[in-house]
Amino acid sequence: LLHHPHRQVWVDPGHLGGLCIWLGSIVLLAKCVNLCVTLWVFCIPHVIAMSAMAFGNWAQHIFVNPKDRHNNFALTYNCIETPVNQTTFNDGYHIIHHLNARLHWSEIPQYFYDNKEKFEKSGSLTFRGVHFFDVGIMVMTKNLRGLAEHYVHLGPKETAPTIDQVVEKLQGWLKPVPAEELGKKAK
């Protein structure tokens, strides 16, 4: 980002240059080689991959506690015991990624279990058996009750919330942060 004293400009010259080179290459390949091949080999996979990655990133950060939005425990959630973690270098433990991005992926599950009490005390969200795409789809289809059934309470059984209480928490974390709060820094 270029920083301006009064506003942010969302154009990075390095990215803009790379985009121009990519677009120029696409036009050159389309004209000089073959339009159909260029579309199927470069353009369509690019659009699909970028859309999937954007959806995944949005889904990873869809739940934000508006009352504690600067706390890493309240910016995302963990997905445990899902086969997708085995193919994504344990990306489902996303709170841990926010806490310590340098932690080796093979050490992440143990870190989670060793620090379960911190996750419980912070009120963070953990789901079992679903991954980010599943969570994103459930939120988009307004199936918060179905998602709440995957919620993992990390504390004692007698303090476990009801499904309705989990749905209420999820709804609260889906609300936008009030505009007057956006400019405030973390305490």
Side-chain angles (χ1 to χ4, degrees):
L1 293 176
L2 295 176
H3 293 284
H4 187 274
H6 303 291
R7 64 179 180 182
Q8 283 187 325
V9 180
W10 292 94
V11 178
D12 179 0
H15 290 116
L16 187 59
L19 181 62
C20 289
I21 290 169
W22 185 81
L23 284 173
S25 300
I26 295 300
V27 169
L28 188 66
L29 287 168
K31 285 188 174 200
C32 299
V33 179
N34 185 307
L35 174 63
C36 187
V37 170
T38 302
L39 285 174
W40 283 103
V41 172
F42 293 103
C43 298
I44 294 172
H46 177 79
V47 169
I48 291 170
M50 293 302 288
S51 298
M53 288 189 286
F55 180 80
N57 189 268
W58 169 79
Q60 286 173 324
H61 302 98
I62 192 167
F63 292 112
V64 175
N65 183 347
K67 296 175 185 155
D68 196 17
R69 71 186 198 296
H70 295 290
N71 180 349
N72 283 320
F73 289 98
L75 289 174
T76 185
Y77 53 90
N78 287 320
C79 294
I80 63 171
E81 297 176 21
T82 173
V84 181
N85 279 343
Q86 297 300 308
T87 59
T88 60
F89 302 99
N90 284 320
D91 194 34
Y93 294 90
H94 206 67
I95 294 172
I96 298 169
H97 164 73
H98 280 248
L99 294 171
N100 184 358
R102 292 180 170 198
L103 187 64
H104 192 270
W105 68 270
S106 65
E107 299 169 351
I108 291 174
Q110 190 60 52
Y111 180 92
F112 175 77
Y113 290 107
D114 291 346
N115 292 281
K116 218 162 53 164
E117 191 175 287
K118 285 182 189 176
F119 288 92
E120 188 236 330
K121 284 184 179 175
S122 69
S124 66
L125 296 172
T126 300
F127 301 106
R128 176 180 286 123
V130 292
H131 208 259
F132 299 122
F133 275 82
D134 306 317
V135 172
I137 297 288
M138 287 187 201
V139 170
M140 287 183 74
T141 59
K142 300 182 190 301
N143 186 9
L144 293 182
R145 183 164 292 283
L147 181 57
E149 291 173 8
H150 292 277
Y151 175 80
V152 177
H153 177 65
L154 300 172
K157 189 174 183 176
E158 56 273 1
T159 64
T162 65
I163 294 289
D164 289 333
Q165 289 170 323
V166 173
V167 169
E168 186 178 323
K169 180 176 183 172
L170 297 177
Q171 288 171 335
W173 284 32
L174 285 171
K175 290 181 180 172
V177 175
E180 60 275 2
E181 294 290 319
L182 289 176
K184 294 180 181 176
K185 299 286 183 195
K187 294 176 184 175

